[in-house]
Amino acid sequence: MNTVISGTVVKFGDNINTDIISPPQYMELPVAEAAKYAMSPVNAGFAAKADPNTIIAAGSNFGSGSSRETSPLTLKHLGIRVIIAKSFARIFYRNGINVGLVLLECPRIDDIADGDQLTVDLKNGRIENIAKAVAYECDRVPEHIMRLIEQGGLIASLKKRFGVES
Amino acid sequence: MGKTMSEKILAKAAGLTETRVGDIVQAKVDKAMMDDILGPRVEIAENMRAIYDKVWDRDKVVIISDHYTPPATIAQAEIVKFTRDWAAGHGIDNYYEFCGPCHQIMAENGHVLPGTLVVGTDSHTCMGGAFGAFATGVGSTEMLGVLLTGEIWLKVPATIQVSWCGLLPPRVMAKDISLKTIGCIGHAGATYKAVEYIGDTIKALPMDERMAITNMAVEMGAKAGLMSSDDKTYDFLARHGFHPAPMETASDVDAIFENVHVFRADELKPQVASPHAVDNVTEVGNVVDTPIHQVYLGSCTGGRFYDLVAAADIIKGKKIAKGLRFLISPASAKIWRHADAAGILAILADSGATILAPTCGVCVGLHSGVLAAGENCLSTSNRNFIGRMGSRAANIYLGSAATAAATALTGHITDPQTL
């Protein structure tokens, strides 16, 4: 997988819970439809503007609440590849990694602003803020999680284990 | 060195003599639960077809259609049908539907036993910790891994000990214990940790009430919320027809806890979590006079027989406030029938309450009582996030069944002790 990812930040605050990321009334729709409403309770225009160039940067406790995998799945459908947060809620963290997203915890998230251009170096756990000419260190990703990320998520890992073509 | 409940249960599940906090273990799952909203239809069915279309042990799999039952839309009906058909097609005899929220069904049907490892595709799976099990919520892809391999990797958590001692005052309930604890520890105060609830207050609670506390452990970010098993645990199971061999599940006397919080129950007043965070907790007395349009008594958190009786006790012979909607959803079909036979539903209905089917429904804004803009709801459920029950311009207050009943009578948030 690509271990260097570049993009533009859309910034969120603390405690972005799963009722915000994946509002419950749309969960009965296919992921592609539900994705149109991702983040809508706090940022109604987010989904329409999000694309593979979007990097989500958020405060503490991102993804708190439900175990609903529609949260990372709708974000992934919109093209999001990386989410950087001060901290993640635990079920969201596992779900995000499992579906193939890159989730990084960065203590200096407050220095990152909406619209910033970032280059994320996954292997070295570094984020470069191009315009501000600053680099940030991320918390070390545990080895077993790193292996999952490198394989592209849990499904890819299971396919490999069961000898099925990806 | 002494071990906590979590260290011991995960050691057993992983086939190890012992574990330590921070160890990553590969654990065998005793029960894997899926619901309709996040079960086979999300990633699981499609990828099992691609990888291997058989579950590792069909007796260890439980599927419960609860969020969308009864369905309110064609899409919801299709999801329930898909779930039903998938369960049948994969030989899952443990399939339930239209019975009520999954965690209550798990408890009543002997699927959560002391000392076991239980995972479920719903964050409130932690409710099972009331039975001395390590029970935790997982995502759908995670569940796919469990269904194929029967195992899950887990990091052995540190444990926060929460001790409640003393006698609960009249009309103060386990939900108040739950909210007070969450208000103090905070909604991320237990992230990645297990929370263990001890003390004579806890021991004095019936299982119905214990479940209201462990149900909400996840609202502090916890991986699990545990209580050791005792006579009450085995009596509950026996009443539902299950007789597992009793086992000792408590943490060792010299176990190491990361943190200890001590609370006195005799000082506890009724509590409310105000919009829009579960740890935005205050005494009911501080928010009385907040006008309420809908009171919801239900959900896996607050719809058990004990809750219905507590509400009936307050509301008996009286009428609810004019213009207020009091919706009641017993947490399971069994509870519904029991409450009906005991005359409890009639007492509640006579007050003007609407008796609903056992379901998740409006707890998560799916059907049967969704809120309009500008409406305030007092609910016995577990989350008050913005937009959760409908309009994002609606407000949810969380409280106990007693607070709910008192509020239904007056039309504004009311301390049940003042009636």
Side-chain angles (χ1 to χ4, degrees):
Chain A
M1 67 160 300
N2 200 349
T3 57
V4 176
I5 302 170
S6 296
T8 309
V9 170
V10 177
K11 186 85 191 285
F12 291 89
D14 295 330
N15 303 309
I16 300 296
N17 62 62
T18 49
D19 285 334
I20 290 172
I21 303 171
S22 176
Q25 65 263 50
Y26 307 109
M27 285 173 69
E28 63 203 63
L29 303 174
V31 168
E33 286 300 303
K36 293 179 185 164
Y37 305 94
M39 303 300 214
S40 56
V42 301
N43 185 338
F46 173 79
K49 295 205 197 95
D51 63 22
N53 187 52
T54 304
I55 291 179
I56 289 178
S60 57
N61 206 22
F62 186 85
S64 69
S66 166
S67 63
R68 66 189 67 151
E69 200 161 271
T70 46
S71 297
L73 285 172
T74 49
L75 294 178
K76 188 180 176 189
H77 178 82
L78 294 174
I80 310 259
R81 294 168 295 158
V82 180
I83 306 176
I84 307 163
K86 193 176 271 183
S87 62
F88 290 96
R90 66 163 285 269
I91 307 178
F92 180 88
Y93 181 77
R94 278 185 83 128
N95 289 356
I97 300 291
N98 282 343
V99 307
L101 294 177
V102 174
L103 268 44
L104 295 167
E105 287 188 331
C106 180
R108 287 181 57 193
I109 204 78
D110 295 335
D111 293 349
I112 297 174
D114 199 70
D116 281 358
Q117 303 284 324
L118 301 180
T119 298
V120 178
D121 177 352
L122 179 63
K123 250 193 166 62
N124 298 305
R126 264 168 68 90
I127 300 170
E128 278 184 22
N129 191 326
I130 297 159
K132 291 175 179 164
V134 176
Y136 317 105
E137 297 288 320
C138 298
D139 290 351
R140 216 191 113 264
V141 177
E143 206 191 295
H144 65 292
I145 299 283
M146 200 57 180
R147 277 201 296 274
L148 266 177
I149 294 177
E150 283 166 355
Q151 286 175 79
L154 181 59
I155 291 174
S157 173
L158 286 167
K159 281 181 172 170
K160 194 167 156 203
R161 179 168 165 173
F162 278 75
V164 170
E165 295 262 310
S166 245
Chain B
M1 187 177 68
K3 297 291 179 184
T4 63
M5 289 179 71
S6 298
E7 286 170 309
K8 291 197 272 186
I9 296 171
L10 292 180
K12 178 161 155 273
L16 300 166
T17 1
E18 64 162 39
T19 64
R20 280 167 317 178
V21 171
D23 287 350
I24 310 271
V25 301
Q26 194 70 14
K28 285 189 174 13
V29 170
D30 292 298
K31 275 291 159 66
M33 182 216 72
M34 290 176 277
D35 55 12
D36 48 0
I37 193 170
L38 293 169
R41 67 142 190 158
V42 181
E43 300 293 299
I44 291 168
E46 175 192 331
N47 284 294
M48 278 182 69
R49 266 199 307 274
I51 300 173
Y52 182 68
D53 211 3
K54 253 180 97 175
V55 306
W56 97 102
D57 183 340
R58 54 195 199 97
D59 292 330
K60 294 190 176 157
V61 178
V62 184
I63 302 180
I64 302 164
S65 291
D66 60 352
H67 282 62
Y68 292 134
T69 54
T73 63
I74 296 170
Q76 292 182 12
E78 298 286 0
I79 289 168
V80 175
K81 181 172 188 299
F82 184 92
T83 308
R84 179 188 306 128
D85 292 347
W86 193 91
H90 288 75
I92 309 302
D93 293 332
N94 299 319
Y95 175 70
Y96 307 84
E97 61 173 36
F98 292 77
C99 295
C102 54
H103 310 302
Q104 186 64 24
I105 304 310
M106 289 287 282
E108 291 176 359
N109 289 279
H111 292 306
V112 186
L113 298 177
T116 59
L117 173 60
V118 176
V119 297
T121 59
D122 187 281
S123 57
H124 296 102
T125 302
C126 55
M127 183 173 111
F131 290 84
F134 191 98
T136 193
V138 297
S140 310
T141 298
E142 196 81 66
M143 180 57 73
L144 168 70
V146 172
L147 295 176
L148 290 173
T149 66
E151 294 178 352
I152 187 170
W153 73 261
L154 284 169
K155 190 171 184 186
V156 179
T159 299
I160 294 173
Q161 189 187 69
V162 169
S163 170
W164 278 86
C165 297
L167 215 55
L168 275 176
R171 300 214 167 147
V172 180
M173 301 183 68
K175 182 62 174 286
D176 300 304
I177 290 177
S178 204
L179 291 174
K180 179 74 179 173
T181 308
I182 294 165
C184 288
I185 292 179
H187 57 0
T191 302
Y192 287 106
K193 315 262 189 302
V195 176
E196 214 179 289
Y197 306 89
I198 64 164
D200 57 79
T201 318
I202 305 294
K203 283 299 174 189
L205 291 174
M207 288 304 293
D208 272 13
E209 286 281 79
R210 293 183 187 184
M211 287 188 252
I213 298 172
T214 54
N215 176 286
M216 293 185 78
V218 67
E219 304 310 326
M220 298 181 284
K223 192 179 290 191
L226 300 122
M227 294 175 177
S228 60
S229 50
D230 58 17
D231 288 345
K232 293 200 167 90
T233 321
Y234 293 102
D235 285 346
F236 178 99
L237 290 167
R239 271 184 282 116
H240 289 277
F242 302 96
H243 307 272
M247 61 179 289
E248 181 54 64
T249 52
S251 288
D252 297 334
V253 165
D254 56 338
I256 303 202
F257 296 93
E258 178 172 288
N259 226 331
V260 174
H261 297 264
V262 179
F263 298 91
R264 290 221 51 96
D266 34 18
E267 293 166 1
L268 184 64
K269 291 191 159 51
Q271 307 283 308
V272 152
S274 296
H276 306 280
V278 186
D279 64 351
N280 188 13
V281 173
T282 188
E283 288 179 4
V284 172
N286 293 333
V287 288
V288 293
D289 301 334
T290 305
I292 294 292
H293 307 89
Q294 174 166 298
V295 174
Y296 182 67
L297 198 163
S299 83
C300 57
T301 318
R304 273 172 283 277
F305 188 74
Y306 194 92
D307 299 296
L308 298 170
V309 168
D313 185 58
I314 290 173
I315 222 148
K316 188 170 185 156
K318 305 193 178 85
K319 298 288 184 203
I320 60 177
K322 191 166 176 340
L324 178 136
R325 295 109 53 184
F326 188 12
L327 306 183
I328 298 178
S329 175
S332 74
K334 257 192 185 174
I335 293 169
W336 204 110
R337 288 194 301 271
H338 182 195
D340 186 36
I344 301 294
L345 295 189
I347 291 172
L348 296 167
D350 283 347
S351 77
T354 301
I355 312 297
L356 299 173
T359 179
C360 297
V362 80
C363 165
V364 63
L366 302 174
H367 58 83
S368 309
V370 176
L371 299 174
E375 293 193 317
N376 298 335
C377 178
L378 189 294
S379 172
T380 65
S381 58
N382 50 44
R383 273 190 199 134
N384 59 357
F385 294 157
I386 197 168
R388 183 175 172 86
M389 281 188 178
S391 169
R392 68 185 85 117
N395 296 299
I396 305 162
Y397 296 80
L398 303 176
S400 74
T403 302
T407 299
L409 284 177
T410 64
H412 50 85
I413 296 183
T414 300
D415 182 336
Q417 294 186 308
T418 62
L419 281 184

